[in-house]
């Protein structure tokens, strides 16, 4: 490819409004142009990288038995009906009405469509297991548009689904998916960490998330500064601080504190430490109401609570329900005197306290000197439903501190189980002739975010440093004045040998060409000048040293494996 003919060139100035390093460099180097807020045109350089990512991902899944398919971008409303356990989870992003008056929606996922399709194939146990996948452009309602492809509104999604006979087979299929992702990230030389997680109110459970640590990330995780422990903010565990308590219980007392709700203000008013206050919050968990008590300085993790209660839908009870069950306004609920059908859940932080505060279930009133066994029933078990705070001690190594770190989430592998297959008829016939639901798993990866993440991890003060596996070209040939004819001869020889080469044939100064070569970031730079004579100056993008090599050596180093085998055969 001649750079003079390339559709889209480099920019000298930093693009306005681009915050992430990857966003800036991909725009400046001529890989992307903004089409709309959070939507991008892929110029030829960017498209070549995306194509190589597609090929690499396809190769790794094919090696592990994956098959590729294509499902429609738009779906009729009937296919968007999820199993009842997951009602309300999927939003309809866009709709269109066809000439024959049928409505279609823009597909965000294909769990339902593919599961229903599998059900029509009438498979037996001999047909399983199977892993099928596709890559498709999708759209999301993303509000962070200043970080480029890291949070693009239009993105290329790779997704794959497994169908198995049982849980054991599912584990093996998920293992293959996980292995494929590790191979993909290794080939791109990405430093990836894996986090096991469990999301509430979703069909996916027991997930593995693949991510990289980056200040440009869209999510925050807890990371231990000493051991390998990592966790989501909602599911993290830590050793919480405990404080000295009174030796003897004091008489319980109701105290008027008109309009005082916040724990810091309440603690000052009552002249007690914040850790002696108690938050009591009422939640609607599916079709019941529970009360959760936690030490005043902590917040409740709805993920931990939902997993504890095994509920699908969890939300704070509205003021009407709070008033009905406690007789008080929101902010004054407490564990004493609640209706018997309201289960009271106590967080571990409340276990070892004496003479603590709690709401009195009476507007403007609080109890002080509350004690277990005398004023309120001690629970059979204190549980962990709190959100961890930064700086607390890691539960795994008991030495490190938990720190918040921004991450870019690249991919996930999750269990679906039989939620979809039972409702949508994806069944198989077992060896005994019985009909059983297939056990499903899934994985997914945003390939456009992956492209940007590679740039986030592979750059320097001069520009991008592409890994060889996905670089737009294998070599960047730069011809200096007086050596154009020689450069053209070398260019044609490289192309004939199957080398992907970008030749900067412009009438520009050496400085401009070298700056652009570093910005674009192709792994190898080749310089042809009067000084190099019949040889070529070769320098790797991530190194400072150069060397003079012959064209034959270049072809031997850069040619495709097939051409290299032919050269080796001719020389033998």
């Amino acid at each position: 490819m001649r750079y003079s003919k390339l559709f889209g060139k480099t920019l000298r100035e930093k693009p306005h409004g681009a915050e992430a390093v990857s966003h800036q460099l991909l725009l400046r180097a001529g890989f992307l142009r903004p089409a709309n807020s959070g939507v991008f045109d892929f110029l030829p350089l960017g498209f070549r990288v995306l194509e190589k990512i597609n090929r690499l991902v396809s190769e790794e899944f094919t090696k592990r038995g994956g098959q590729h398919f294509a499902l429609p971008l738009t779906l009729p409303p009937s296919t968007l009906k999820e199993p009842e356990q997951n009602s309300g989870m999927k939003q309809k992003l866009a709709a269109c009405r066809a000439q024959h008056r049928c409505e279609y929606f823009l597909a965000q996922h294909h769990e339902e469509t593919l599961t229903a399709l599998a059900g029509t194939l009438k498979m037996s146990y001999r047909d399983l297991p199977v892993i099928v996948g596709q890559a498709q452009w999708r759209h999301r309602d993303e509000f962070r548009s200043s970080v480029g492809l890291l949070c693009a509104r239009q993105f290329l999604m790779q997704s794959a689904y497994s169908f198995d006979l049982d849980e054991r087979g599912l584990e093996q299929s998920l293992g293959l998916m996980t292995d494929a992702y590790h191979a993909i990230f290794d080939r791109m030389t990405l430093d990836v960490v894996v986090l096991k997680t469990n999301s509430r109110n979703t069909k996916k459970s027991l997930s593995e998330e693949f991510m990289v640590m980056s200040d440009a990330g869209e999510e925050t995780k807890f990371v231990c500064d000493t051991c390998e422990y990592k966790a989501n903010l909602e599911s993290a565990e830590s050793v919480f601080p405990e404080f000295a308590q009174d030796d003897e219980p004091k008489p319980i007392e109701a105290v008027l504190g008109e309009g005082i709700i916040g724990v810091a203000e309440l603690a000052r008013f009552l002249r007690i430490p914040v850790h002696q206050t108690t938050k009591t919050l009422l939640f609607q968990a599916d079709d019941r109401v529970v009360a959760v008590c936690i030490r005043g300085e902590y917040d409740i993790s709805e993920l931990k609570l939902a997993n504890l209660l095994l509920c699908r839908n969890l939300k704070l009870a509205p003021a009407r329900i709070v008033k009905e069950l406690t007789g008080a306004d929101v902010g004054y609920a407490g564990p004493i005197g609640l209706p018997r059908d309201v289960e009271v859940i106590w967080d571990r932080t409340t276990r070892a306290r004496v003479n603590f505060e709690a709401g009195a279930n009476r507007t403007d009133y609080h109890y002080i000197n509350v004690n277990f066994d005398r004023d309120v029933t001690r629970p059979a078990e204190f549980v962990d439903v709190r959100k961890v705070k930064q700086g607390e001690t890691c539960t795994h190594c008991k030495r490190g501190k938990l720190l918040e770190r921004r991450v870019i989430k690249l991919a996930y592998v999750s269990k679906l189980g039989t939620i979809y297959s039972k409702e949508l008829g994806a069944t198989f016939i077992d060896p005994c002739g019985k009909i059983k639901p297939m056990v499903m798993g899934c994985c997914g990866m945003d390939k456009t975010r992956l492209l940007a993440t590679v740039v986030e991890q592979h750059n320097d003060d001069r520009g991008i440093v592409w890994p060889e596996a996905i670089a737009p070209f294998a070599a960047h040939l730069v011809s200096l004045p007086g050596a154009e004819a020689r450069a053209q001869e070398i260019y044609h020889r490289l192309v004939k040998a199957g080398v992907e080469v970008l030749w900067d044939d412009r009438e520009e100064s050496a400085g401009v060409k070298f700056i652009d070569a570093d910005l674009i970031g192709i792994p190898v730079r080749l310089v042809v000048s009067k000084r190099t004579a019949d040889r070529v100056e070769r320098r790797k993008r991530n190194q400072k040293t150069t060397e003079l090599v012959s064209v034959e050596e270049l072809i031997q180093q850069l040619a495709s494996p097939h051409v290299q085998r032919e050269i080796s055969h001719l020389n033998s």
Side-chain angles (χ1 to χ4, degrees), residues 25-57:
L25 290 177
L26 288 168
L27 291 175
R28 286 184 55 212
F31 287 77
L32 304 174
R33 286 294 182 270
N36 204 338
S37 179
V39 180
F40 296 90
D41 297 321
F42 278 78
L43 299 178
L45 286 179
F47 185 72
R48 287 180 71 92
V49 175
L50 199 58
E51 274 194 317
K52 291 193 174 186
I53 291 174
N54 269 328
R55 192 179 310 132
L56 191 155
V57 172

Side-chain angles (χ1 to χ4, degrees), residues 42-266:
F42 278 78
L43 299 178
L45 286 179
F47 185 72
R48 287 180 71 92
V49 175
L50 199 58
E51 274 194 317
K52 291 193 174 186
I53 291 174
N54 269 328
R55 192 179 310 132
L56 191 155
V57 172
S58 177
E59 285 174 4
E60 293 301 334
F61 271 84
T62 300
K63 285 179 187 176
R64 291 155 182 84
Q67 303 175 52
H68 303 281
F69 67 95
L71 294 178
L73 179 63
T74 56
L75 301 173
S78 60
T79 62
L80 294 179
K81 293 177 69 176
E82 284 206 340
E84 291 182 6
Q85 299 100 309
N86 304 302
S87 59
M89 283 299 298
K90 186 169 291 185
Q91 294 180 335
K92 297 168 184 174
L93 253 183
C96 59
R97 188 181 295 274
Q99 293 183 23
H100 49 80
R101 297 184 179 181
C102 289
E103 277 194 327
Y104 291 90
F105 291 96
L106 196 62
Q108 290 178 274
H109 302 281
H110 282 95
E111 283 94 341
E112 305 93 334
T113 309
L114 182 60
T115 307
L117 174 61
T120 67
L121 300 180
K122 307 299 182 185
M123 289 192 277
S124 79
Y125 69 94
R126 296 186 183 88
D127 302 310
L128 301 177
V130 65
I131 297 176
V132 291
Q134 68 168 350
Q136 190 174 81
W137 286 96
R138 304 233 176 113
H139 189 88
R140 62 184 158 216
D141 194 12
E142 179 60 61
F143 70 93
R144 291 183 71 206
S145 59
S146 60
V147 291
L149 296 182
L150 293 176
C151 286
R153 293 192 170 104
Q154 185 170 299
F155 62 102
L156 183 60
M157 185 71 182
Q158 176 267 343
S159 56
Y161 301 88
S162 63
F163 296 89
D164 283 279
L165 302 173
D166 51 31
E167 283 286 334
R168 183 179 178 183
L170 173 61
E171 292 291 345
Q172 293 174 346
S173 292
L174 296 184
L176 291 172
M177 294 176 179
T178 297
D179 188 48
Y181 281 144
H182 280 298
I184 290 164
F185 300 139
D186 285 347
R187 290 176 66 180
M188 295 184 188
T189 63
L190 277 174
D191 184 12
V192 174
V193 297
V194 181
L195 175 65
K196 293 187 182 296
T197 179
N198 195 348
S199 301
R200 77 176 182 90
N201 273 1
T202 176
K203 62 268 184 189
K204 300 179 180 72
S205 63
L206 299 176
S207 301
E208 284 188 332
E209 294 180 352
F210 299 79
M211 59 194 67
V212 301
M213 302 293 173
S214 171
D215 290 337
E218 77 285 2
E219 293 188 19
T220 303
K221 308 292 182 185
F222 274 121
V223 177
C224 177
D225 64 3
T226 302
C227 72
E228 296 298 314
Y229 178 68
K230 302 171 185 68
N232 287 322
L233 296 187
E234 285 254 336
S235 61
E237 299 176 350
S238 70
V239 179
F240 58 86
E242 298 194 60
F243 302 92
Q245 300 290 315
D246 293 336
D247 293 331
E248 297 294 333
K250 299 176 182 178
I252 189 171
E253 181 181 350
V255 178
L256 174 64
E258 192 170 348
I260 300 175
I261 296 177
V263 293
E265 183 183 1
L266 178 62

Side-chain angles (χ1 to χ4, degrees), residues 431-442:
C432 299
K434 293 183 179 180
I435 296 176
K436 292 183 177 179
M438 300 179 197
V439 184
M440 296 176 58
C442 68

Side-chain angles (χ1 to χ4, degrees), residues 212-419:
V212 301
M213 302 293 173
S214 171
D215 290 337
E218 77 285 2
E219 293 188 19
T220 303
K221 308 292 182 185
F222 274 121
V223 177
C224 177
D225 64 3
T226 302
C227 72
E228 296 298 314
Y229 178 68
K230 302 171 185 68
N232 287 322
L233 296 187
E234 285 254 336
S235 61
E237 299 176 350
S238 70
V239 179
F240 58 86
E242 298 194 60
F243 302 92
Q245 300 290 315
D246 293 336
D247 293 331
E248 297 294 333
K250 299 176 182 178
I252 189 171
E253 181 181 350
V255 178
L256 174 64
E258 192 170 348
I260 300 175
I261 296 177
V263 293
E265 183 183 1
L266 178 62
R268 285 194 299 270
F269 175 75
L270 296 175
R271 296 182 180 179
I272 62 174
V274 171
H275 59 75
Q276 290 298 104
T277 64
T278 305
K279 286 180 184 173
T280 303
L281 299 178
L282 270 61
F283 286 87
Q284 284 189 311
D286 292 338
D287 56 356
R288 59 178 171 148
V289 176
V290 298
V292 184
C293 297
I294 194 168
R295 220 162 70 185
E297 74 268 35
Y298 286 104
D299 292 322
I300 294 167
S301 164
E302 294 189 14
L303 171 64
K304 290 181 180 179
L305 182 59
N307 290 339
L308 174 72
L309 299 173
L310 301 178
C311 63
R312 291 284 176 181
N313 298 292
L314 180 75
K315 62 182 179 180
L316 280 170
R320 175 183 59 82
I321 297 295
V322 173
K323 183 78 171 182
E324 180 182 315
L325 295 176
T326 69
D329 294 338
V330 172
Y332 300 97
I336 301 174
L338 287 173
R340 302 181 82 178
D341 59 347
V342 176
E343 180 185 0
V344 181
I345 295 168
W346 292 86
D347 184 73
R348 290 174 186 166
T349 55
T350 64
R351 177 172 45 201
R353 296 189 305 170
V354 178
N355 297 328
F356 55 89
E357 175 274 340
N361 289 328
R362 181 181 172 192
T363 302
D364 294 330
Y365 280 84
H366 304 268
Y367 283 128
I368 60 172
N369 301 328
V370 179
N371 287 277
F372 286 116
D373 300 323
R374 185 192 69 186
D375 308 308
V376 64
T377 302
R378 182 182 295 273
E381 180 183 12
F382 291 87
V383 296
D384 176 23
V385 291
R386 71 186 172 91
K387 288 184 179 179
V388 165
K389 290 191 172 189
Q390 182 168 221
E392 292 183 335
T393 302
C394 173
T395 56
H396 288 247
C397 68
K398 302 294 190 299
R399 300 187 312 276
K401 302 297 181 184
L402 296 188
L403 305 177
E404 290 185 5
R405 290 288 183 266
R406 303 290 293 178
V407 301
I408 301 170
K409 187 164 74 173
L410 293 177
Y412 68 87
V413 174
S414 295
K415 291 184 178 182
L416 293 176
T418 57
I419 290 176

